[in-house]
């Protein structure tokens, strides 16, 4: 029995995507939470909490995009053709946000608000468009003769737009968990007050999407609610409920790591549910990962490089978080 190279690359792309959501999600969430914190010193602290690691987090986005283009060129071509506009807007949002990281601390006080707005708008725009992309992929793409035949604005529909809003809520929740873990005192107390309503809103979003997808797509309903699949997938909603309960119970007396870990589990389970819904299609609703894969020779050649570079990225990521571990205070910071 030979090695299933398309499956290996599909798993690498899923892994890269989840790593990006987990790691860049909380620092995008910092920008989303920025308008709720009015004090400049609190905003300095929020930005300093992610300044040493934010650019490294985006490595996973680059890896996932490159892997998709090399391993599944058909999927890459269809997705870029169908989602060129939201993907371009997403990149512009990430650029604005990245520039704001560097310029905010160097700006004069009267100009600092400009970079605050760039940081906020870049974070929200990048997050919202990422959510729209996810929603559009779940909805599927019309493909004929290996070519996208839909319109340039098919992504501008209720379900992708709602997914965009949902991801803004999800990243804000991750940002709350990160700030609870990294800060203390006044700022941490403010975040605790936001944590509970955000958790309830996230639960509402997950519930709506969980109902919307099977109602709109018969194949997804059959996958989730037929036996024995129902028994295999029941841990997903149970873990969503358990992690939500942990978040709702969080307060100043709990472990400062619990909200972040519970938020990570909640978001991970939410995206796992979406992944289960479309598997094994990489271009829903009809084209599977095997059909969209590059030739085996290309996949094998790329895999050699991936097995070399992915451990390096993991070691670098671990080391950067280890070096900048612990609480951050107003007296110290990256800038």
């Amino acid at each position: 029995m030979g090695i299933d190279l398309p499956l290996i690359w599909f798993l690498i792309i899923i892994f890269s995507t989840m790593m990006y959501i987990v790691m860049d999600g909380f620092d995008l969430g910092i920008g989303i939470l920025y308008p709720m914190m009015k004090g400049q010193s609190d905003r300095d602290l929020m930005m300093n909490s992610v300044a040493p690691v934010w650019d490294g987090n985006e490595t996973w986005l680059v890896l996932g995009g490159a892997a998709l283009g090399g391993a599944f060129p058909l999927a890459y071509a269809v997705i870029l053709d169908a989602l060129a506009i939201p993907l371009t807007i997403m990149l512009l949002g990430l650029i604005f946000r990245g520039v704001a990281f560097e310029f905010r601390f160097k700006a004069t006080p009267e100009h600092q608000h400009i970079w605050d707005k760039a940081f906020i708008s870049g974070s929200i725009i990048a997050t919202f468009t990422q959510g729209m992309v996810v929603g559009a992929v779940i909805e599927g793409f019309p493909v004929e003769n290996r070519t996208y035949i839909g319109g340039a604005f098919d992504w501008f529909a209720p379900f992708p737009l709602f997914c965009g809003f949902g991801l803004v809520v999800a990243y804000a929740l991750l940002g709350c968990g990160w700030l609870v873990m990294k800060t203390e005192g006044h700022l941490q107390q403010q975040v605790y007050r936001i944590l509970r309503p955000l958790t309830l809103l996230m639960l509402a979003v997950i519930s709506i999407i969980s109902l919307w997808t099977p109602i709109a797509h018969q194949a997804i309903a059959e996958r989730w609610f037929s036996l024995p699949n129902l028994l295999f997938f029941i841990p997903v909603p149970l873990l969503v409920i358990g992690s939500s309960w942990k978040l709702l119970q969080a307060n100043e007396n709990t472990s400062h790591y619990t909200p972040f870990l519970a938020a990570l589990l909640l978001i991970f389970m939410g995206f796992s549910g979406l992944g289960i819904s479309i598997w094994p299609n990489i271009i829903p609703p009809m084209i599977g990962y095997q059909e969209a894969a590059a030739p085996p020779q290309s996949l094998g050649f790329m895999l050699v490089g991936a097995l070399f570079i992915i451990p390096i990225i993991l070691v670098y990521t671990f080391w950067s978080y280890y070096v900048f571990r612990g609480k951050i205070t107003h007296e110290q910071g990256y800038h």
Side-chain angles (χ1 to χ4, degrees), residues 10 14 138 223-224 270-281:
F10 195 53
I14 292 172
I138 300 298
R223 168 160 297 178
W224 276 95
F271 275 89
S272 297
L274 294 177
I276 290 169
S277 297
I278 66 172
W279 170 265
N281 296 321

Side-chain angles (χ1 to χ4, degrees), residues 177-234:
W178 174 261
L179 289 175
V180 166
M181 185 173 65
K182 294 292 290 184
T183 65
E184 53 193 0
H186 169 71
L187 178 57
Q188 189 188 62
Q189 291 170 7
Q190 283 186 288
V191 174
Y192 269 121
R193 286 195 289 271
I194 302 170
L195 189 62
R196 183 180 179 86
L198 265 181
T199 302
L200 294 172
L201 186 57
M202 187 73 254
L203 273 175
V205 167
I206 291 175
S207 300
I208 292 170
I209 292 177
S210 299
L211 291 173
W212 196 331
T213 47
I215 290 173
H217 304 278
Q218 182 63 31
I220 293 177
E222 291 175 359
R223 168 160 297 178
W224 276 95
F225 301 116
S226 62
L227 291 174
N229 289 358
L230 182 62
L231 300 177
F232 293 142
F233 299 151
I234 197 68

Side-chain angles (χ1 to χ4, degrees), residues 151-313:
F153 290 92
D154 284 5
W155 52 270
F156 196 77
F159 184 73
L161 291 171
F162 184 78
C163 287
F165 167 75
L167 195 62
V168 171
V169 177
Y171 282 1
L173 186 62
L174 280 175
C176 278
W178 174 261
L179 289 175
V180 166
M181 185 173 65
K182 294 292 290 184
T183 65
E184 53 193 0
H186 169 71
L187 178 57
Q188 189 188 62
Q189 291 170 7
Q190 283 186 288
V191 174
Y192 269 121
R193 286 195 289 271
I194 302 170
L195 189 62
R196 183 180 179 86
L198 265 181
T199 302
L200 294 172
L201 186 57
M202 187 73 254
L203 273 175
V205 167
I206 291 175
S207 300
I208 292 170
I209 292 177
S210 299
L211 291 173
W212 196 331
T213 47
I215 290 173
H217 304 278
Q218 182 63 31
I220 293 177
E222 291 175 359
R223 168 160 297 178
W224 276 95
F225 301 116
S226 62
L227 291 174
N229 289 358
L230 182 62
L231 300 177
F232 293 142
F233 299 151
I234 197 68
V236 175
L238 291 179
L239 286 171
V240 167
I241 294 170
S243 55
S244 301
W245 178 253
K246 278 291 187 182
L247 283 165
L248 292 171
Q249 294 299 306
N251 56 60
E252 289 86 344
N253 298 320
T254 64
S255 167
H256 292 180
Y257 293 94
T258 301
F260 184 62
L261 295 176
L264 284 180
L265 180 60
L266 178 61
I267 307 307
F268 178 78
M269 286 297 105
F271 275 89
S272 297
L274 294 177
I276 290 169
S277 297
I278 66 172
W279 170 265
N281 296 321
I282 196 168
I283 310 175
M286 299 299 295
I287 299 178
Y289 69 91
Q290 292 278 3
E291 185 180 349
Q297 296 88 342
S298 299
L299 297 177
F301 179 78
M302 288 170 36
L303 187 60
V304 174
L307 293 177
F308 174 75
I309 196 65
I310 291 176
I312 292 176
I313 298 173

Side-chain angles (χ1 to χ4, degrees), residues 7-63:
L7 178 59
I8 292 173
W9 273 105
F10 195 53
L11 294 175
I12 288 173
I13 291 170
I14 292 172
F15 175 72
S16 300
T17 303
M18 291 306 304
M19 287 295 288
Y20 175 77
I21 290 167
V22 165
M23 309 201 77
D24 206 37
F26 67 80
D27 64 57
L28 282 165
I30 298 297
I32 296 167
L33 294 172
Y34 234 52
M36 303 178 191
M37 310 298 174
K38 302 301 182 183
Q40 285 300 322
S41 61
D42 285 341
R43 289 185 170 189
D44 289 347
L45 198 61
M46 291 168 69
M47 188 173 278
N48 268 323
S49 73
V50 294
V53 295
W54 73 273
D55 47 353
N57 293 342
E58 294 184 350
T59 304
W60 298 105
L61 180 64
V62 176
L63 177 63

